mmCIF file of all heavy atoms in Angstrom:
data_model
loop_
_atom_site.group_PDB
_atom_site.id
_atom_site.type_symbol
_atom_site.label_atom_id
_atom_site.label_comp_id
_atom_site.label_asym_id
_atom_site.label_seq_id
_atom_site.Cartn_x
_atom_site.Cartn_y
_atom_site.Cartn_z
ATOM 1 N N SER A 46 97.865 20.459 38.666
ATOM 2 C CA SER A 46 99.313 20.454 38.539
ATOM 3 C C SER A 46 99.917 19.361 39.423
ATOM 4 O O SER A 46 99.210 18.696 40.182
ATOM 5 C CB SER A 46 99.875 21.832 38.893
ATOM 6 O OG SER A 46 99.363 22.226 40.135
ATOM 7 N N SER A 47 101.198 19.205 39.287
ATOM 8 C CA SER A 47 101.911 18.166 40.022
ATOM 9 C C SER A 47 101.727 18.366 41.525
ATOM 10 O O SER A 47 101.829 19.474 42.021
ATOM 11 C CB SER A 47 103.387 18.260 39.620
ATOM 12 O OG SER A 47 104.096 17.267 40.259
ATOM 13 N N GLY A 48 101.420 17.297 42.217
ATOM 14 C CA GLY A 48 101.223 17.371 43.667
ATOM 15 C C GLY A 48 99.809 17.727 44.080
ATOM 16 O O GLY A 48 99.514 17.832 45.270
ATOM 17 N N ALA A 49 98.906 17.902 43.116
ATOM 18 C CA ALA A 49 97.529 18.325 43.430
ATOM 19 C C ALA A 49 96.699 17.222 44.082
ATOM 20 O O ALA A 49 95.664 17.503 44.675
ATOM 21 C CB ALA A 49 96.834 18.814 42.159
ATOM 22 N N GLY A 50 97.152 15.974 43.956
ATOM 23 C CA GLY A 50 96.417 14.870 44.580
ATOM 24 C C GLY A 50 95.758 13.924 43.585
ATOM 25 O O GLY A 50 94.990 13.041 43.975
ATOM 26 N N LYS A 51 96.102 14.069 42.325
ATOM 27 C CA LYS A 51 95.440 13.285 41.265
ATOM 28 C C LYS A 51 95.697 11.783 41.425
ATOM 29 O O LYS A 51 94.762 10.972 41.378
ATOM 30 C CB LYS A 51 95.917 13.754 39.872
ATOM 31 C CG LYS A 51 95.760 15.237 39.621
ATOM 32 C CD LYS A 51 96.215 15.636 38.229
ATOM 33 C CE LYS A 51 97.684 15.414 37.921
ATOM 34 N NZ LYS A 51 98.617 16.184 38.783
ATOM 35 N N SER A 52 96.969 11.421 41.591
ATOM 36 C CA SER A 52 97.278 9.989 41.706
ATOM 37 C C SER A 52 96.678 9.410 42.976
ATOM 38 O O SER A 52 96.158 8.285 42.975
ATOM 39 C CB SER A 52 98.798 9.763 41.716
ATOM 40 O OG SER A 52 99.345 10.159 40.481
ATOM 41 N N THR A 53 96.720 10.186 44.049
ATOM 42 C CA THR A 53 96.129 9.736 45.310
ATOM 43 C C THR A 53 94.653 9.415 45.107
ATOM 44 O O THR A 53 94.161 8.379 45.563
ATOM 45 C CB THR A 53 96.312 10.821 46.391
ATOM 46 O OG1 THR A 53 97.713 11.067 46.558
ATOM 47 C CG2 THR A 53 95.718 10.396 47.718
ATOM 48 N N LEU A 55 93.115 8.530 42.343
ATOM 49 C CA LEU A 55 92.979 7.283 41.573
ATOM 50 C C LEU A 55 93.263 6.064 42.444
ATOM 51 O O LEU A 55 92.570 5.054 42.348
ATOM 52 C CB LEU A 55 93.962 7.263 40.393
ATOM 53 C CG LEU A 55 93.590 7.943 39.093
ATOM 54 C CD1 LEU A 55 94.472 7.415 37.966
ATOM 55 C CD2 LEU A 55 92.142 7.760 38.725
ATOM 56 N N HIS A 56 94.278 6.179 43.296
ATOM 57 C CA HIS A 56 94.633 5.043 44.162
ATOM 58 C C HIS A 56 93.489 4.695 45.114
ATOM 59 O O HIS A 56 93.238 3.520 45.388
ATOM 60 C CB HIS A 56 95.908 5.349 44.963
ATOM 61 C CG HIS A 56 97.125 5.461 44.096
ATOM 62 N ND1 HIS A 56 98.337 5.921 44.553
ATOM 63 C CD2 HIS A 56 97.314 5.169 42.779
ATOM 64 C CE1 HIS A 56 99.220 5.906 43.558
ATOM 65 N NE2 HIS A 56 98.612 5.457 42.472
ATOM 66 N N GLN A 97 101.591 5.917 33.475
ATOM 67 C CA GLN A 97 102.386 6.728 32.554
ATOM 68 C C GLN A 97 103.516 5.903 31.933
ATOM 69 O O GLN A 97 103.810 6.015 30.749
ATOM 70 C CB GLN A 97 102.960 7.915 33.326
ATOM 71 C CG GLN A 97 103.792 8.836 32.480
ATOM 72 C CD GLN A 97 104.193 10.084 33.268
ATOM 73 O OE1 GLN A 97 103.865 10.227 34.446
ATOM 74 N NE2 GLN A 97 104.901 10.965 32.609
ATOM 75 N N ASP A 170 96.519 6.844 34.790
ATOM 76 C CA ASP A 170 97.276 7.933 35.413
ATOM 77 C C ASP A 170 98.296 8.494 34.431
ATOM 78 O O ASP A 170 99.342 7.896 34.213
ATOM 79 C CB ASP A 170 97.962 7.412 36.679
ATOM 80 C CG ASP A 170 98.381 8.546 37.612
ATOM 81 O OD1 ASP A 170 98.339 9.717 37.186
ATOM 82 O OD2 ASP A 170 98.753 8.246 38.760
ATOM 83 N N GLU A 171 97.975 9.614 33.846
ATOM 84 C CA GLU A 171 98.813 10.272 32.832
ATOM 85 C C GLU A 171 99.290 9.293 31.761
ATOM 86 O O GLU A 171 100.490 9.221 31.473
ATOM 87 C CB GLU A 171 99.998 10.976 33.508
ATOM 88 C CG GLU A 171 99.510 11.856 34.664
ATOM 89 C CD GLU A 171 100.397 13.060 34.945
ATOM 90 O OE1 GLU A 171 101.072 13.518 34.001
ATOM 91 O OE2 GLU A 171 100.376 13.546 36.077
ATOM 92 N N VAL A 201 93.670 10.698 34.376
ATOM 93 C CA VAL A 201 94.431 11.828 34.906
ATOM 94 C C VAL A 201 95.329 12.364 33.814
ATOM 95 O O VAL A 201 96.017 11.592 33.138
ATOM 96 C CB VAL A 201 95.278 11.375 36.120
ATOM 97 C CG1 VAL A 201 96.353 12.396 36.450
ATOM 98 C CG2 VAL A 201 94.388 11.125 37.333
ATOM 99 N N HIS A 203 97.671 16.104 32.408
ATOM 100 C CA HIS A 203 98.081 17.509 32.447
ATOM 101 C C HIS A 203 97.575 18.232 31.215
ATOM 102 O O HIS A 203 97.552 19.449 31.156
ATOM 103 C CB HIS A 203 99.616 17.572 32.291
ATOM 104 C CG HIS A 203 100.360 17.507 33.554
ATOM 105 N ND1 HIS A 203 100.965 16.373 33.977
ATOM 106 C CD2 HIS A 203 100.593 18.455 34.488
ATOM 107 C CE1 HIS A 203 101.564 16.628 35.135
ATOM 108 N NE2 HIS A 203 101.339 17.871 35.460
HETATM 109 MG MG1 MG B 2 100.471 11.747 39.866
#
Side-chain angles (χ1 to χ4, degrees):
S46 51
S47 182
K51 306 181 297 298
S52 296
T53 301
L55 276 198
H56 293 170
Q97 180 173 2
D170 199 349
E171 310 209 27
V201 164
H203 271 102

